[in-house]
Amino acid sequence: MDRTGIVLVGAGFIADAHCGAIDADPRAELVGIVDADPGRAAAFARKQGGIRYETDLDTALAWPGADAVILCTPNDTHAPIGLRVAAAGKHLLVEKPLATTLTDARALAEAFEATGRVLVAAHTHRFYDYGRAVKQTIDSGAIGRPQLVRLAILGGWIWPDWSAWVGDPVRSGGHALHNGVHLLDLATWWLGGEPTAIFARGRKQTAAELRIYDYLEMVVTYADGATAVCEMSRAHRPGSLAQRELLVAGTAGIVEQGWDGESALVFGEAGTATLPAAGGNGFAAQLGAWLDAIGGAPPAMPVADAVRAVALGVAVEESIATGRPVAVTA
Amino acid sequence: MTRVALVGNGGIGTQDHQTAMYEPAFRRHPAFEIVDNPDDAEVWSIAAPLAERGKTIAEAIRSGRHVLADKPLAATVAEAQEIERLAAEHGVVVVPAHHQRLGGALRSAIAAVRGGRVGLPWNVQCDFLVAGGDPAPGGELVNFGLYPVDVLHALLGLEVRRVHATGSPALVTLLLDHDHGVTSTVVCGRLPVLRDVPPGGPAVHRYRISGSHGVLAVDATKPALSVRGTSFTGPVWTGPGTVDALLDVLAAGIATGRAAVGPSDAVRAQRVIEAAQRSMETGQPVETGE
């Protein structure tokens, strides 16, 4: 079997999840790691059994057996690095968001379209068990035509200190681009409609001095009259009690999963916490779908959907800034 | 015992809450007895069609009678304000049927939030979704919207300053801005018929109150048993019903001259509903003017 050689770019915490996915798929092989910090690159390489490491992307793209890249760098670098990957003729799985601006997202889409290589943005929730189960339930017709999505992913502060790049809206694009796109894409995928407008509200709950909104409420209106109410929070306390809640209402029924739909509850001396059930590996499923697409299958996460997610995220940030609904143009 | 006359059997669309809700609740309540002649009654239970309701309530007030009024109290803010003024002028108690806030889970939640159990609340999310039953002509915003809006005020004690509404006549989403930067969101409306949910019964009725020091998740369909059998699966409500609790409010109001639910609550809720209607028409957020 010809294995797809993958170069990881960016040795941050999410790279471990992608490494695990690569390890689990016999069609993939981790060729090496690139990180701007040579020490971090070397440490990551050692942890992976002594794979190659490099600080220069172009050098790594020329490594023998390098067919594809998984890009895990800060969001504002996705477009410039992605364009270099496209120019090198490699496939790309890029962490979400595809880019921090719609112009950059479109440029990436066009570059990969021109090369014929497969570009996928890591909207991993499409590949989580719950995401797929809801989609399958809707597609089965069990609830009729979906008209409403309620989706909340709530948790506490998970980022580092004030130096975290996520907290810099220039680097991350803001929380709507960084995490909000997960929900915006998932709800839109479930509904199967065309978003027409967004009204959003944001809150700096953890600290007034934050430069991003750690709580987002994003309400999307669709051309067919459907509505999606999406909440994304890193502001909830206690942070130990992560919650995910979903409700999809259709013309013939509803599908819902409460905060305890996938988690047990631990009452302990250290407090109360949810204990998520063991299940499928969303990152592995995502990687598998990308490899399938490289092999010629239809992409499970089309580039147009990733561009649309960026458009939605940008519209969220604009709506919060203006206090007004924003028309969506993907 | 306080004598009650049942006045009107109409509502919005095909509603007859008088027969379905108020009459049986009055019959089982120890403080009230039902009489046939309205002239002999101290209280009128008014469930006239919405177009006539305000006029009927005003007639009752002017004749010195206390009123239990089906919801909404009036068709417009102006009409509700006039009822509020009249009730104060004549010294009678007018209780609009804002009974959802009186459910056992919500009464505890209101006390907890107002008592600081989650710190300073900064957001509330609510779903008020009914399954089956007859759709309200003109949409469910006017029919159901006031219930969660009323509960929100009871939970937060904060006025609504701005409303943005989106959705459809059957299923509307309200985004409300309160004082102190507090926000809330309400999804309310009617779902299709769902198995084991009685027509017009609550399919989802819940609140999540996020505060500076905690979160309170309230399932307002409780307290209830969960019953599973060969022919029925679903909840069975335990404890007093919300309409029974509303009559407790009415009885206490008559005894003390001040009811815990009154016309000012109806004015406040109606103001939000009308702002939501304007928002639906324009596609823009609307200031309530409160």
Side-chain angles (χ1 to χ4, degrees):
Chain A
M1 177 192 297
D2 287 337
R3 298 208 289 179
T4 300
I6 297 171
V7 175
L8 264 174
V9 179
F13 88 97
I14 203 69
D16 286 334
H18 289 291
C19 270
I22 294 168
D23 288 345
D25 197 315
R27 297 175 295 168
E29 177 185 16
L30 183 58
V31 172
I33 177 78
V34 178
D35 196 283
D37 180 337
R40 195 160 77 155
F44 193 94
R46 279 196 301 276
K47 193 171 67 175
Q48 294 301 320
I51 58 172
R52 290 169 178 255
Y53 67 93
E54 186 48 77
T55 57
D56 180 65
L57 175 66
D58 293 328
T59 301
L61 290 173
W63 281 336
D67 306 307
V69 168
I70 295 179
L71 182 54
C72 310
T73 52
N75 300 344
D76 63 330
T77 66
H78 290 179
I81 294 177
L83 290 173
R84 288 164 67 187
V85 173
K90 312 298 182 185
H91 306 286
L92 178 63
L93 172 61
V94 55
E95 261 304 327
K96 50 74 207 165
L98 177 59
T100 54
T101 69
L102 193 49
T103 301
D104 281 350
R106 286 173 176 151
L108 277 174
E110 288 166 7
F112 279 87
E113 173 73 23
T115 64
R117 296 296 185 264
V118 176
L119 170 64
V120 166
H123 288 270
T124 320
H125 285 248
R126 283 200 187 199
F127 300 94
Y128 289 160
D129 294 338
Y130 84 97
R132 292 194 288 187
V134 170
K135 178 66 172 170
Q136 287 162 5
T137 302
I138 293 169
D139 288 349
S140 76
I143 65 166
R145 182 172 60 82
Q147 297 177 301
L148 169 76
V149 167
R150 266 281 211 181
L151 177 60
I153 299 176
L154 311 178
W157 183 261
I158 61 163
W159 299 311
D161 63 6
W162 293 104
S163 66
W165 62 262
V166 173
D168 180 347
V170 174
R171 304 211 68 193
S172 66
H175 198 191
L177 272 299
H178 187 67
N179 275 332
V181 288
H182 273 313
L183 295 83
L184 296 166
D185 174 66
L186 196 59
T188 302
W189 183 52
W190 286 344
L191 285 167
E194 196 56 42
T196 55
I198 279 190
F199 183 71
R201 296 181 292 186
R203 188 174 181 87
K204 298 172 180 177
Q205 176 61 29
T206 300
E209 296 81 2
L210 280 176
R211 290 185 292 161
I212 63 168
Y213 302 99
D214 52 354
Y215 173 76
L216 295 169
E217 185 180 38
M218 308 167 287
V219 177
V220 188
T221 301
Y222 294 82
D224 64 356
T227 302
V229 181
C230 302
E231 293 175 89
M232 178 69 230
S233 178
R234 290 288 170 227
H236 274 73
R237 297 178 68 182
S240 59
L241 201 66
Q243 300 178 71
R244 190 185 64 230
E245 295 178 323
L246 69 89
L247 165 69
V248 184
T251 53
I254 63 176
V255 55
E256 56 185 332
Q257 187 177 45
W259 64 268
D260 58 348
E262 197 177 88
S263 296
L265 190 62
V266 182
F267 305 80
E269 298 295 347
T272 307
T274 47
L275 182 66
N281 182 337
F283 279 79
Q286 176 178 261
L287 180 79
W290 180 45
L291 295 174
D292 289 343
I294 290 172
M301 177 66 211
V303 177
D305 291 3
V307 173
R308 182 181 61 198
V310 171
L312 292 171
V314 169
V316 165
E317 294 288 344
E318 182 183 343
S319 179
I320 294 171
T322 62
R324 294 282 158 187
V326 171
V328 177
T329 49
Chain B
M1 297 247 280
T2 301
R3 297 183 302 280
V4 181
L6 308 176
V7 179
N9 291 88
I12 297 173
T14 59
Q15 290 171 351
D16 180 7
H17 292 151
Q18 190 78 278
T19 301
M21 294 164 55
Y22 307 127
E23 180 178 356
F26 274 117
R27 290 199 185 283
R28 63 180 171 253
H29 198 284
F32 299 101
E33 65 174 330
I34 293 175
V35 297
D36 293 334
N37 186 351
D39 292 339
D40 296 335
E42 299 153 273
V43 175
W44 282 12
S45 171
I46 296 174
L50 186 55
E52 305 163 20
R53 191 171 296 163
K55 189 175 67 177
T56 309
I57 293 170
E59 181 188 342
I61 294 171
R62 288 196 179 95
S63 66
R65 292 181 171 84
H66 306 293
V67 172
L68 177 83
D70 196 13
K71 58 81 191 169
L73 177 69
T76 65
V77 169
E79 198 174 48
Q81 287 173 320
E82 175 61 10
I83 290 170
E84 181 182 24
R85 189 192 66 76
L86 274 176
E89 180 182 315
H90 290 268
V92 299
V93 169
V94 174
V95 174
H98 294 199
H99 57 96
Q100 294 293 344
R101 71 155 94 156
L102 302 173
L106 279 172
R107 276 190 286 169
S108 294
I110 290 163
V113 173
R114 301 302 294 273
R117 286 285 291 275
V118 296
L120 291 170
W122 50 267
N123 177 263
V124 182
Q125 296 288 318
C126 165
D127 296 314
F128 186 93
L129 300 172
V130 161
D134 291 336
E140 304 298 347
L141 175 61
V142 169
N143 188 25
F144 292 137
L146 66 88
Y147 281 143
V149 167
D150 179 68
V151 171
L152 286 172
H153 186 265
L155 281 166
L156 297 170
L158 300 173
E159 299 294 340
V160 175
R161 302 300 180 186
R162 195 172 84 139
V163 180
H164 183 62
T166 187
S168 65
L171 212 51
V172 64
T173 298
L174 307 178
L175 296 110
L176 311 180
D177 290 349
H178 306 261
D179 290 330
H180 309 301
V182 176
T183 56
S184 63
T185 298
V186 174
V187 177
C188 100
R190 192 180 299 274
L191 300 172
V193 173
L194 298 178
R195 188 174 147 181
D196 294 329
V197 178
V204 184
H205 185 197
R206 63 185 175 186
Y207 299 79
R208 183 190 341 107
I209 304 101
S210 298
S212 60
H213 290 71
V215 177
L216 178 59
V218 185
D219 184 346
T221 65
K222 296 174 180 174
L225 303 175
S226 179
V227 179
R228 289 186 284 180
T230 54
S231 60
F232 171 79
T233 295
V236 173
W237 182 268
T238 64
T242 56
V243 178
D244 299 303
L246 187 71
L247 298 197
D248 291 341
V249 167
L250 176 64
I254 293 170
T256 63
R258 185 181 175 89
V261 181
S264 62
D265 296 301
V267 170
R268 183 182 296 112
Q270 184 65 27
R271 189 175 282 124
V272 174
I273 300 306
E274 290 187 7
Q277 289 172 317
R278 293 197 298 277
S279 178
M280 291 283 278
E281 290 166 6
T282 62
Q284 294 295 321
V286 168
E287 309 289 332
T288 60
E290 175 53 31

